[in-house]
Each structure stands twice: as structure tokens, then as C-alpha cells.
Amino acid sequence: MRIQFKTSYNDDIRLFPDRWTLGVYTTLLVMAFALPLLIGEFYLGEVTNVLIWAIAGLGLMLLTGQAGQVSLGHAAFLAIGCYTNTILIEAGLSFILAFPLAGVITGMVGAIIAIPALRLHGIYLAIATIALSILADDIIVLLDPWTGGVSGKFPDMITIFGLEIERWSMPTRFYYLVLLVTILCTLFYRNLLRSPLGRAFAAVRDSEVSATAMGVHIARTKTKAFGLSCMITGWAGALMGYYAGAFNNETFSLVISITLLMMIVIGGLGSIHGAFFGAVVVAFLPQVLSILKGAVLGGGVAIPGLETGVFGMILILFILFEPMGIYGRWLKIRTWFELFPFARKDMFRRQKSYLKTERLR
């Protein structure tokens, strides 16, 4: 038995299915705006990091979770957004113009790259995007006059209508800026899912043959998905540069691309919530490991590859036991309580069948 999470067609069309859901998200939004009053600057910085990762996760989620196209090269688009934003500001543009343009330019570059790359499928597309991530490192070094090469760049202080924002000296202002961008990206993603284009993405993800039969232009739809995904990722890259304070060719490595993919798989593919749940894991797991390592082995003890190994183990466990991620597990728990006492164990059995048309690929 397959789980049906939507109760009606209108639930998928409306921004919020009911007043209860609207109330829950309004409460979360109020808590988010009140958070600087409740926690210290260190933890506020960690929450800011979670939001930046969530924006990057939304970008990759749109491509992989919604359109079904695997990418292991999104670190390259983080770099493009970061460097483009900094270069435009150095050229004299204000942040209010440079930041949106950085995302748009990143999206255009992504759409151009997608034209040849998206003719590939599955593992071949993943290999092509890995090559893109590796090439980005060399290109940044070669474009030394604009990118600073291995020396990197230091982003200027953000100024919006005379209001100065800086990550280290003004963490509260920077948090509110990142929170605003997160809200706008989330609303954009949610409204995109309700549009005909968003439904075309889902059709391509589920079956390209069936989508073609319904009149969906596969190549054009994939290109749009890649462009929009890269646009959101570019904005995350610009904010990531401000959060780090300095960046060079090694900042946006292949490891970042793999971490992004692990993040959306652990959080839950194909859902906005999955990007945020995965971002919490990616941002806070290193801190938890550091605390546990200090408590067990004492300070000053280094274990090479510990974080990578734990991330990999968590990913394998989720693929084996909960392929729908953290958000999928929450939906199953909620469904079980809604159907209690009529819920049965076999209703959550994994669906192992697939469309016959997909066997032709």
C-alpha cells in the first residue's frame, strides 16, 4: 500500500492546506524573528549557517528532488554566485542590485551548461557534474585577476539603504538578512511547485516517456529546472561567502557538492522540509561530534576523516532503512497516529516496482 500524503487536489494548489497549517508556520516565523532575543551570538551564528545550507539545499532539491536530475557539481554554482556577487560589488554596484544579479547570472550559466549536460542520464550525468565541480577549482585559479586565485577574496561589508550589515560584528542584522532570503526562496519554491512548470518537473522525474506523451518538452523542462536550481544555489553561495568572511578556490570543493546531495537525501527528497531537516544535520553534526570527541577522548585529539565517515554511515543507514529521509519518517509517524487503531505495519512497506516505460532507458 502506497502512502498518500495529499488529501485532495486543492491541498496541492493552495499555499497552505488549512488554517492549522497556516497557524503552525506563522508561529514558526514569529519564533524565527524572535530568536536573536532568546539565544547568544554563537548559537545565532550556527542557526544562520543552517539557513544558508537550507537555501543551497532548496536549490539542489529543485533539481534532484523535484525534477529527478542528479548533480554532484553544485559547489561550482555556489562559487559562481559567491564570486559574481563580490565582483559586482567591487565594480560599484550596491548589494541590493549585485545580490539578485549574482543569482540570475548563476542561473543563466547553469542553463547554458545544462543544454549539453542534460542529454545524459543517471550515473553519466552525475559524472559530468563531478567534472564541472573539479573544473571550477582550476578556472578560479586561472581567472586570478578577477577571482584573486589561490589568495582568494574578502567580501566588503553589506550596505542596504545606508544600513551596514556584517557577519562578525553585527550577527543579528546578518541573521535577519539570511532569514529574509530564506523566506523568499521558500515561497518561490512552494509557488513553483503549484505552477504548471512545477508539475512538468514532477512529470519528468516520474517518467520521461509519460511526460513526453503528455506534451512536456523534456529538454526544455530540464534546462529550466537546472537554471532555476542554479539561481537559488548562487544566492546561497553569495551568503556563504559573507558567512565565511574569506574564500578562495578551495572553499567550494567537491566535498561541498557531495555534502549537499547527502543533505537532501537525509532530510527527505522532494520536499521543502527535507532541505531544512538536512541543513540542521549538516550544520550541527560537526559540533555534536566535536563535543562528544572532547568528552570521550579529551581536547586536542584529532581523528582524521571522522566527520566524513559519520556522514557516510548516516547516509547508508537512511538509504537502507528510511529512503524517504527524516521528513518521510515524520509523515509515516503522523499517518500512523491519524489512522490509529487501524494502522498496520505493512502499509509502510517500500514500493519496489517501477514503471515499465522506464526500463527502456
Side-chain angles (χ1 to χ4, degrees):
M1 177 179 179
R2 298 188 65 179
I3 308 170
Q4 298 293 330
F5 299 130
K6 298 285 190 304
T7 58
S8 68
Y9 180 77
N10 289 332
D11 287 349
D12 199 23
I13 291 294
R14 292 193 294 247
L15 186 61
F16 299 102
D18 48 51
R19 293 183 179 179
W20 168 258
T21 305
L22 175 61
V24 169
Y25 288 115
T26 302
T27 303
L28 288 175
L29 193 59
V30 171
M31 291 175 61
F33 276 100
L35 198 60
L37 304 176
L38 305 175
I39 60 176
E41 292 185 355
F42 172 78
Y43 291 104
L44 186 64
E46 293 301 311
V47 174
T48 305
N49 188 32
V50 169
L51 294 179
I52 294 174
W53 276 105
I55 297 172
L58 286 173
L60 184 57
M61 187 73 78
L62 180 61
L63 181 65
T64 303
Q66 189 65 24
Q69 308 303 309
V70 180
S71 174
L72 285 171
H74 258 50
F77 300 108
L78 286 172
I80 293 174
C82 183
Y83 278 100
T84 302
N85 178 73
T86 303
I87 292 171
L88 289 176
I89 290 179
E90 290 177 349
L93 267 69
S94 63
F95 175 83
I96 203 70
L97 293 176
F99 182 75
L101 278 176
V104 172
I105 292 173
T106 306
M108 293 173 62
V109 173
I112 293 172
I113 294 174
I115 294 174
L118 289 178
R119 295 182 181 275
L120 304 173
H121 298 279
I123 187 65
Y124 304 105
L125 176 60
I127 293 172
T129 54
I130 288 176
L132 178 65
S133 186
I134 296 173
L135 281 173
D137 190 333
D138 297 329
I139 292 174
I140 291 173
V141 175
L142 292 174
L143 297 178
D144 183 274
W146 293 280
T147 63
V150 295
S151 300
K153 279 187 172 292
F154 300 88
D156 297 329
M157 182 178 293
I158 301 172
T159 303
I160 303 177
F161 301 119
L163 180 66
E164 294 183 342
I165 301 174
E166 207 269 332
R167 181 261 187 272
W168 300 103
S169 59
M170 307 170 188
T172 302
R173 292 183 181 180
F174 186 68
Y175 165 76
Y176 282 127
L177 173 64
V178 175
L179 178 61
L180 178 61
V181 176
T182 305
I183 294 171
L184 293 177
C185 289
T186 305
L187 289 175
F188 171 77
Y189 190 113
R190 175 58 183 157
N191 281 283
L192 182 64
L193 295 185
R194 301 189 298 153
S195 69
L197 181 59
R199 299 180 183 280
F201 290 163
V204 171
R205 175 196 63 198
D206 294 339
S207 172
E208 292 186 13
V209 175
S210 300
T212 303
M214 294 169 59
V216 177
H217 194 291
I218 302 299
R220 189 182 304 159
T221 303
K222 287 183 178 181
T223 302
K224 290 179 180 178
F226 214 94
L228 293 174
S229 170
C230 293
M231 180 178 69
I232 297 175
T233 306
W235 288 329
L239 293 174
M240 201 170 286
Y242 284 114
Y243 182 84
F247 49 88
N248 62 4
N249 62 303
E250 296 181 352
T251 303
F252 304 99
S253 62
L254 179 61
V255 176
I256 299 295
S257 296
I258 298 174
T259 302
L260 271 175
L261 186 60
M262 288 196 305
M263 182 179 76
I264 63 173
V265 172
I266 293 172
L269 276 174
S271 66
I272 296 175
H273 303 79
F276 286 89
F277 287 138
V280 170
V281 174
V282 167
F284 284 109
L285 185 61
Q287 304 295 336
V288 173
L289 291 177
S290 178
I291 294 173
L292 292 177
K293 185 176 65 175
V296 176
L297 301 177
V301 179
I303 304 178
L306 176 62
E307 291 182 11
T308 305
V310 173
F311 271 123
M313 181 185 66
I314 292 175
L315 179 62
I316 292 172
L317 291 175
F318 268 96
I319 291 175
L320 290 177
F321 300 106
E322 189 46 82
M324 295 179 67
I326 297 174
Y327 184 61
R329 172 54 58 179
W330 155 246
L331 289 178
K332 290 179 180 179
I333 294 173
R334 189 182 69 181
T335 304
W336 190 90
F337 277 105
E338 288 176 351
L339 297 179
F340 184 82
F342 302 105
R344 295 292 181 267
K345 180 180 180 181
D346 290 343
M347 67 182 295
F348 299 125
R349 182 177 295 174
R350 289 183 61 180
Q351 180 75 19
K352 296 183 179 180
S353 62
Y354 52 90
L355 291 176
K356 188 176 180 179
T357 54
E358 296 303 294
R359 301 178 190 179
L360 301 176
R361 292 173 52 184

